[in-house]
């Protein structure tokens, strides 16, 4: 196992490099970079982003007032909406954002910083990327962790029950519910929950926004815990509704595969009860894939399933941070979070393989090529 873990850890390095190269190239080719975004804000032709102009030559508005004299060829001609701005001002913006260097030099400089976990500072938030990630993580972890746990708590018993009752009316109508739940988008169900339970049209039972109440810090710790879970009910429920379908069917099919094997027939022939056969013999083998997939399932829910939920319930988490960074072309935040989450995903994939070997010692990845 040790040799396999070492090989996988070493494989993370080229994998991360390829991921960063591909995404760096794609984002560089996308129109509307940070320089163009800031020019659009200054000239009133772009989206509203948090101002962050270098003060070395005066404020952005002062520089703009003093330099709206030249046009034509030059650095300004490369940017939409920059006509009429002094090329020197554009050059200052490019230097501020690091665009005065060649693309390959910027890429390798970025990687050199990431090796020592220096993710730089946001272009438009005046804060370090690490601080932003640390600030937003509690919201995303709360949504991802509790959603994953609830999905497993629902899917495993339901999948086992469906396998034992395969072909019965229970199996048929629960399959219908699973399909319906999987077909409903999480954000649409979130809107439905708000309308019904958050003061929309019927009941005003749960809060509409936030992860805690404004006075949560003043509450005793038992009430603080209750307040935390009270705010999580609607967003987590909306994420769970469409998340248990695939895991339920995976659990059912895993049990069906094991139930038909010879060792189950032998156990029944020895006089063991159905419960002893099911949970004493079948469960461990059938749950191998389901339990070992927990790390990757958590990562998937944590980083890909919460964007709309965070927006709808006004939760300031990683999904919203990534969306706003992409919209504003905040490259340090985009690449920093991409690097961090890619690294975390690769590590969690390795953890999943290790869990396979722990759950079933018969599995030996060292005998296979990586």
């Amino acid at each position: 196992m040790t040799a396999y873990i070492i090989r996988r850890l070493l494989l993370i390095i080229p994998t991360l490099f390829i991921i960063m190269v591909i995404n760096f190239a794609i984002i560089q080719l996308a129109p509307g970079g940070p320089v163009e975004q800031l020019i659009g804000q200054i000239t009133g032709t772009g989206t509203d982003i948090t101002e962050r102009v270098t003060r070395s030559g005066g404020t952005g508005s002062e520089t703009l007032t003093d330099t709206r004299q030249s046009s034509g060829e030059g650095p300004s001609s490369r940017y939409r909406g920059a006509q009429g701005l002094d090329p020197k001002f554009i050059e200052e913006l490019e230097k501020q954002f690091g665009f005065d260097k060649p693309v390959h030099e910027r890429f390798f400089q970025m990687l050199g910083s990431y090796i020592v976990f220096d993710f730089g500072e946001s272009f438009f938030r005046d804060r370090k990327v690490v601080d932003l990630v640390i600030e937003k993580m509690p919201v995303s972890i709360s949504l991802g962790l509790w959603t994953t746990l609830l999905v497993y708590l629902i899917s495993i018993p339901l999948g086992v029950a469906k396998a034992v009752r395969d072909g019965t009316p229970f199996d048929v109508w629960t399959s219908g519910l699973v399909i319906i739940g999987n077909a409903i988008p999480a954000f649409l169900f979130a809107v439905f929950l708000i309308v019904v339970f958050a003061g929309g049209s019927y009941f005003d039972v749960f809060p509409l926004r936030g992860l805690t109440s404004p006075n949560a810090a003043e509450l005793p710790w038992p009430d603080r815990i209750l307040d935390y879970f009270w705010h999580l009910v609607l967003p987590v429920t909306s994420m769970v509704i469409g998340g248990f379908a695939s895991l339920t069917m995976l659990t059912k099919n895993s049990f069906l595969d094991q139930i038909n094997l010879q060792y189950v027939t032998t156990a029944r022939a020895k006089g063991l009860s159905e419960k002893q056969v099911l949970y004493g013999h079948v469960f461990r083998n059938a749950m191998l894939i389901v339990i070992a997939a927990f790390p990757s399932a958590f990562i998937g829910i944590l980083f890909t399933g919460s964007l709309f939920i965070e927006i709808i319930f006004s939760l300031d988490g990683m999904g919203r941070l990534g969306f706003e960074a992409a919209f504003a072309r905040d490259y340090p935040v985009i690449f920093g979070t991409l690097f961090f989450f890619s690294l975390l995903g690769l590590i969690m994939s390795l953890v999943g393989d290790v869990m396979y070997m722990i759950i079933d010692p018969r599995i030996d990845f060292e005998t296979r090529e990586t």
Side-chain angles (χ1 to χ4, degrees):
M1 180 187 295
T2 302
Y4 174 74
I5 293 175
I6 293 174
R7 289 200 303 270
R8 285 291 300 272
L9 289 175
L10 292 175
L11 187 61
I12 287 176
I13 298 175
T15 305
L16 264 179
F17 180 79
I18 294 173
I19 291 173
M20 297 304 296
V21 167
I22 294 174
N23 285 275
F24 187 86
I26 292 174
I27 292 177
Q28 293 298 317
L29 293 174
V35 174
E36 200 169 77
Q37 292 278 336
L38 193 53
I39 289 173
Q41 182 193 2
I42 293 173
T43 59
T45 60
T47 56
D48 183 24
I49 53 179
T50 305
E51 292 190 18
R52 184 181 184 272
V53 181
T54 304
R55 299 296 195 255
S56 59
T59 62
S61 58
E62 293 170 348
T63 307
L64 179 61
T65 302
D66 296 336
T67 58
R68 277 187 175 175
Q69 300 174 356
S70 65
S71 61
E73 298 301 323
S76 62
S77 63
R78 297 198 303 265
Y79 301 104
R80 182 177 53 191
Q83 296 296 328
L85 298 182
D86 190 341
K88 292 183 179 180
F89 173 59
I90 304 299
E91 290 175 358
E92 289 180 3
L93 290 181
E94 290 179 337
K95 185 175 181 180
Q96 172 189 335
F97 291 116
F99 286 91
D100 57 328
K101 301 175 182 177
V103 174
H104 67 277
E105 185 177 335
R106 285 188 278 125
F107 176 73
F108 285 107
Q109 182 179 356
M110 180 187 70
L111 286 187
S113 300
Y114 287 2
I115 291 175
V116 294
F117 292 94
D118 179 11
F119 298 105
E121 186 175 316
S122 168
F123 283 160
F124 306 113
R125 294 174 181 259
D126 282 322
R127 297 186 61 189
K128 291 184 177 180
V129 174
V130 173
D131 295 336
L132 287 172
V133 171
I134 293 175
E135 178 185 320
K136 312 300 182 183
M137 281 298 287
V139 172
S140 295
I141 289 178
S142 294
L143 292 176
L145 179 62
W146 297 116
T147 299
T148 306
L149 289 176
L150 283 175
V151 165
Y152 269 73
L153 288 175
I154 294 172
S155 299
I156 292 177
L158 181 59
V160 173
K162 286 174 65 63
V164 173
R165 299 171 177 83
D166 184 41
T168 64
F170 172 82
D171 180 40
V172 174
W173 67 261
T174 51
S175 294
L177 292 178
V178 167
I179 293 173
I180 293 173
N182 188 50
I184 299 176
F187 70 89
L188 185 61
F189 192 70
V191 173
F192 169 77
L193 291 177
I194 289 175
V195 171
V196 177
F197 297 107
S201 300
Y202 300 94
F203 305 102
D204 190 5
V205 180
F206 297 102
L208 180 60
R209 64 187 65 200
L211 202 60
T212 56
S213 298
N215 63 335
E218 304 172 2
L219 300 174
W221 68 265
D223 294 336
R224 201 178 307 170
I225 294 175
L226 290 175
D227 179 74
Y228 166 73
F229 284 107
W230 181 49
H231 281 76
L232 278 177
V233 170
L234 295 187
V236 169
T237 301
S238 59
M239 292 179 67
V240 167
I241 191 67
F244 65 90
S246 59
L247 186 59
T248 298
M249 300 311 296
L250 177 62
T251 303
K252 175 189 174 181
N253 293 331
S254 298
F255 265 79
L256 287 177
D257 290 341
Q258 295 295 321
I259 287 174
N260 296 323
L261 295 181
Q262 183 63 41
Y263 77 92
V264 177
T265 305
T266 303
R268 286 170 175 163
K270 290 181 178 180
L272 297 179
S273 65
E274 193 65 23
K275 183 177 294 186
Q276 289 175 318
V277 172
L278 190 61
Y279 294 101
H281 292 74
V282 176
F283 188 83
R284 178 179 177 181
N285 294 324
M287 285 295 99
L288 176 62
I289 297 178
V290 176
I291 296 176
F294 182 88
S296 59
F298 172 67
I299 291 295
I301 293 175
L302 179 61
F303 300 129
T304 62
S306 61
L307 171 59
F308 290 119
I309 301 303
E310 290 178 12
I311 294 175
I312 292 172
F313 290 99
S314 300
L315 299 172
D316 199 8
M318 292 303 306
R320 190 170 178 178
L321 174 66
F323 172 76
E324 292 175 352
F327 189 73
R329 302 298 193 270
D330 196 344
Y331 288 174
V333 176
I334 294 174
F335 293 125
T337 53
L338 173 67
F339 179 88
F340 175 76
F341 295 147
S342 298
L343 177 61
L344 182 60
L346 292 170
I347 292 175
M348 294 301 285
S349 176
L350 174 59
V351 171
D353 288 346
V354 173
M355 290 183 65
Y356 272 111
M357 292 183 279
I358 292 175
I359 296 172
D360 191 348
R362 296 172 298 176
I363 296 178
D364 185 9
F365 287 106
E366 293 186 9
T367 60
R368 303 171 57 188
E369 294 183 1
T370 306

